[in-house]
Amino acid sequence: MTWLDFQNRFQKIRDNKAFELFVISVIIFSSLMIGIRTYELPGLAETILISLDYAVTLFFVLEITIRMAAEDRFRDFFKKGWNIFDFVIVVVSLIPLDDSEYALIARMLRLFRVMRLISFIPELRVLVSALISALPRMGYVALLMFIIFYLYAVIGNMMFAQLNPVLWGDLGVSLLTLFRVATFEDWTDVMYEAMTLYSLSWIYFITFIFFSAFVFLNMMIGIVVEVLDEEHKKMEAEAEGVSEELTAIQNHEQKVEAEIALLHQKLDALLAQQQTSR
């Protein structure tokens, strides 16, 4: 049996939906094991979980090896970002779980196994791709938001520092207080306290909430929704492209089959003529 035969088998395994669902099940099972280990467990249960963890790690190594071997060329595997993502997670999972100084790091890195669900579920890939694509646009909104936060923090420090140094004592704590206001965490208590010193302080808080909680938040949501819609359109276009390619391949196969059938007919006719001439 040649390597090409093995490669074809690996491709069938990789593209098999049942195999993909099994991998997703193992990922979820691995994540549940990590969550279970946060509880106090008897020694036997701990030993079983460690053994299962090694088994899961071995399965992930086998699974990533199958996917790498299924590629026509080995380097083609690393041309896809999600493949690199899976490969890195599997490699860092090889850090042994023992009593060494790296045991805590190994357990923390195993948490990222659940992130592999993103690479296996197309809908999650679209969401992550949309988030990454939206980051540059969101960065400008975040910069504008920081400017507003900075201005309001300085003004708050100048106005309310003497009233409550814990909330307005310097720029840092003023920014934290404004973040608390922006998340509506007891912001009315902060406002009413400020109004005991300046009765019109409500203007300061209402305008800040208007900018931070309504304007900027909606701008962020709008950017994410727009990019998500673009990603969905790209995915649909790719699906249509694949469908067109499959249709073209099927049409080509039908033409080839028709030509082969025609050649068979001509060959039969020639054989019949030869037999008649004899």
Side-chain angles (χ1 to χ4, degrees):
M1 185 176 291
T2 64
W3 169 251
L4 186 60
D5 295 328
F6 281 110
Q7 195 173 57
N8 291 331
R9 290 189 177 185
F10 289 145
Q11 289 176 354
K12 290 180 180 179
I13 295 173
R14 180 196 62 185
D15 299 334
N16 190 293
K17 289 297 181 182
F19 177 73
E20 185 175 315
L21 290 174
F22 182 72
V23 173
I24 293 174
S25 301
V26 173
I27 294 172
I28 296 173
F29 177 72
S30 172
S31 305
L32 291 175
M33 283 198 306
I34 296 172
I36 291 173
R37 294 191 67 185
T38 60
Y39 295 92
E40 290 291 336
L41 299 172
L44 179 60
E46 186 73 17
T47 303
I48 293 173
L49 286 177
I50 292 175
S51 300
L52 289 174
D53 184 86
Y54 282 121
V56 169
T57 302
L58 181 61
F59 172 78
F60 283 151
V61 172
L62 179 62
E63 178 261 336
I64 204 76
T65 303
I66 290 174
R67 288 170 56 193
M68 293 170 69
E71 297 291 340
D72 295 331
R73 292 181 298 177
F74 177 76
R75 61 183 179 181
D76 290 344
F77 178 82
F78 296 97
K79 290 182 179 180
K80 297 179 181 178
W82 290 113
N83 288 342
I84 297 174
F85 176 78
D86 287 342
F87 181 80
V88 171
I89 291 179
V90 172
V91 169
V92 297
S93 296
L94 295 177
I95 300 176
L97 279 175
D98 51 25
D99 295 329
S100 66
E101 56 182 329
Y102 300 107
L104 178 60
I105 298 176
R107 290 181 182 179
M108 292 177 62
L109 291 174
R110 276 164 166 74
L111 286 171
F112 290 95
R113 284 175 172 173
V114 71
M115 297 292 289
R116 295 197 64 200
L117 286 173
I118 298 173
S119 63
F120 278 91
I121 301 177
E123 288 76 10
L124 292 181
R125 287 204 302 266
V126 171
L127 290 175
V128 173
S129 298
L131 178 60
I132 294 174
S133 301
L135 285 178
R137 304 184 197 178
M138 293 172 65
Y140 291 108
V141 178
L143 178 60
L144 182 58
M145 184 184 297
F146 174 76
I147 293 173
I148 298 298
F149 265 74
Y150 183 83
L151 292 175
Y152 273 82
V154 173
I155 294 173
N157 171 261
M158 295 170 61
M159 293 178 61
F160 311 124
Q162 295 180 351
L163 176 65
N164 192 338
V166 175
L167 298 179
W168 308 99
D170 54 41
L171 178 64
V173 297
S174 297
L175 287 171
L176 288 175
T177 301
L178 288 177
F179 184 79
R180 168 184 171 183
V181 172
T183 56
F184 300 107
E185 178 62 28
D186 293 333
W187 71 277
T188 53
D189 295 340
V190 180
M191 182 183 68
Y192 289 139
E193 183 184 48
M195 288 177 64
T196 60
L197 183 61
Y198 300 105
S199 58
L200 296 178
S201 297
W202 61 269
I203 299 175
Y204 170 87
F205 291 96
I206 295 300
T207 55
F208 173 75
I209 288 176
F210 174 78
F211 284 118
S212 62
F214 296 110
V215 176
F216 294 123
L217 180 60
N218 286 320
M219 289 174 67
M220 291 283 191
I221 295 173
I223 290 172
V224 173
V225 170
E226 180 182 356
V227 174
L228 186 60
D229 183 60
E230 293 175 358
E231 290 295 327
H232 275 295
K233 289 180 179 178
K234 287 181 182 178
M235 188 174 69
E236 290 175 358
E238 291 176 357
E240 289 177 359
V242 172
S243 178
E244 290 176 357
E245 289 180 1
L246 290 174
T247 303
I249 291 172
Q250 290 175 354
N251 292 335
H252 180 70
E253 289 178 349
Q254 290 176 358
K255 290 180 180 179
V256 171
E257 290 175 357
E259 291 176 357
I260 292 173
L262 183 61
L263 289 173
H264 278 298
Q265 291 176 0
K266 290 181 178 180
L267 182 60
D268 292 339
L270 288 173
L271 291 174
Q273 288 177 1
Q274 289 179 357
Q275 290 177 357
T276 303
S277 62
R278 290 178 183 178

